[in-house]
Amino acid sequence: MSGLFDLSGKAAIVTGSTRGIGRAIAEALIAAGARVMISSEDPADTARVAAELGMPGCPCDVSDDAALAHLVAESLEVFGRIDHLVCNAGITGYPGSFAQIDMDDYARVMAINLRSQVVLCNLALPHIAASGGGAALLMASLSALRGNLRINAYALAKAGVAQLARNLAVEWGPSGVRVNAISPGFIATELSQPLLDDAAFMARRMAMTPLRRPGTPDEVAGAAVFLAAPAGAFVTGHNLVIDGGTLITDGS
């Protein structure tokens, strides 16, 4: 059974991998035997985390097409191949209704959360195919599957990410490349700490979650390993929701 989750000899790129869910995914892939290119928009953070994990690092502003091309080229230079891609980098943008939306913020959210994944997949997937096939994982969100009053461009972009995974799965499946999305629910991270500290929010949100607790980055990372590894070899075009049951409950 252990071979089902063995990524020995594989090479991966993980964007936004210096903290939170991205770092947990990078650590889990490394633990499974993969070599991972650590990346974030901050050069100092990228260098620090790469050193901590004993892996190479390449800073990358994912809104910059040239930087994305450099990330792929650097990964090929270091590893000689690319087997897996995790498009995790993203921003939330300003909260509020669409009636109140700042269109400059909208453009930035869409560029970082959706357009960057299109560009990076177009750059990396041909190399994954050339390495004999592998998997790409696109980070979507539970917010893309539920209506709300405060999460606007972010939710819209993440819905696009899930559709991108389906389209790319059809496009690249014949070349042996699998593409899936993950939609995390409420996960306890540094970025979610203000919400974790908000007792009223937590009481309301946990009442909507059958498991009655937030998720952890490691629980998302475990799913990422499954989707990358031989255990997930017949899974493609799927959007895996990791939310403790929030999506399916009526709040009872």
Side-chain angles (χ1 to χ4, degrees):
M1 287 291 291
S2 61
L4 289 174
F5 298 93
D6 183 11
L7 295 173
S8 298
K10 303 300 184 181
I13 299 171
V14 183
T15 65
S17 49
T18 58
R19 61 181 177 176
I21 291 173
R23 175 161 180 165
I25 290 174
E27 291 177 345
L29 293 175
I30 293 165
R35 298 171 293 166
V36 176
M37 180 62 75
I38 304 301
S39 183
S40 81
E41 77 284 0
D42 187 309
D45 281 351
T46 299
R48 173 181 56 81
V49 173
E52 290 172 357
L53 300 182
M55 290 288 153
C58 180
C60 180
D61 175 354
V62 298
S63 66
D64 182 339
D65 290 4
L68 291 170
H70 176 70
L71 175 62
V72 171
E74 182 71 10
S75 299
L76 287 169
E77 177 69 23
V78 171
F79 298 138
R81 60 188 294 137
I82 301 172
D83 301 285
H84 303 295
L85 171 67
V86 181
C87 296
N88 171 73
I91 60 171
T92 57
Y94 301 142
S97 69
F98 276 102
Q100 301 167 324
I101 198 165
D102 179 319
M103 292 307 295
D104 289 337
D105 182 64
Y106 169 90
R108 179 162 171 76
V109 169
M110 297 298 285
I112 291 176
N113 291 357
L114 179 57
R115 184 183 188 281
S116 72
Q117 296 201 29
V118 175
V119 174
L120 186 51
C121 284
N122 281 341
L123 290 165
L125 266 54
H127 297 290
I128 295 176
S131 294
L137 176 61
L138 314 185
M139 195 59 63
S141 170
L142 177 64
S143 67
L145 298 168
R146 297 167 59 93
N148 60 77
L149 288 173
R150 294 184 57 78
I151 306 176
N152 46 49
Y154 178 84
L156 187 59
K158 293 301 188 178
V161 167
Q163 183 60 36
L164 176 63
R166 290 186 283 267
N167 277 27
L168 291 177
V170 172
E171 183 175 345
W172 286 94
S175 299
V177 179
R178 296 180 295 107
V179 186
N180 291 289
I182 281 183
S183 285
F186 186 67
I187 307 297
T189 65
E190 177 184 337
L191 290 178
S192 65
Q193 192 59 52
L195 294 175
L196 291 165
D197 294 337
D198 184 334
F201 169 84
M202 289 301 294
R204 183 173 68 254
R205 184 56 182 263
M206 293 305 99
M208 296 168 57
T209 303
L211 291 185
R212 298 295 193 265
R213 65 172 179 84
T216 69
D218 285 344
E219 288 168 332
V220 180
V225 172
F226 161 71
L227 290 172
F234 204 53
V235 180
T236 195
H238 184 64
N239 182 14
L240 178 57
V241 179
I242 304 174
D243 70 342
T246 307
L247 180 64
I248 56 85
T249 185
D250 63 359
S252 300

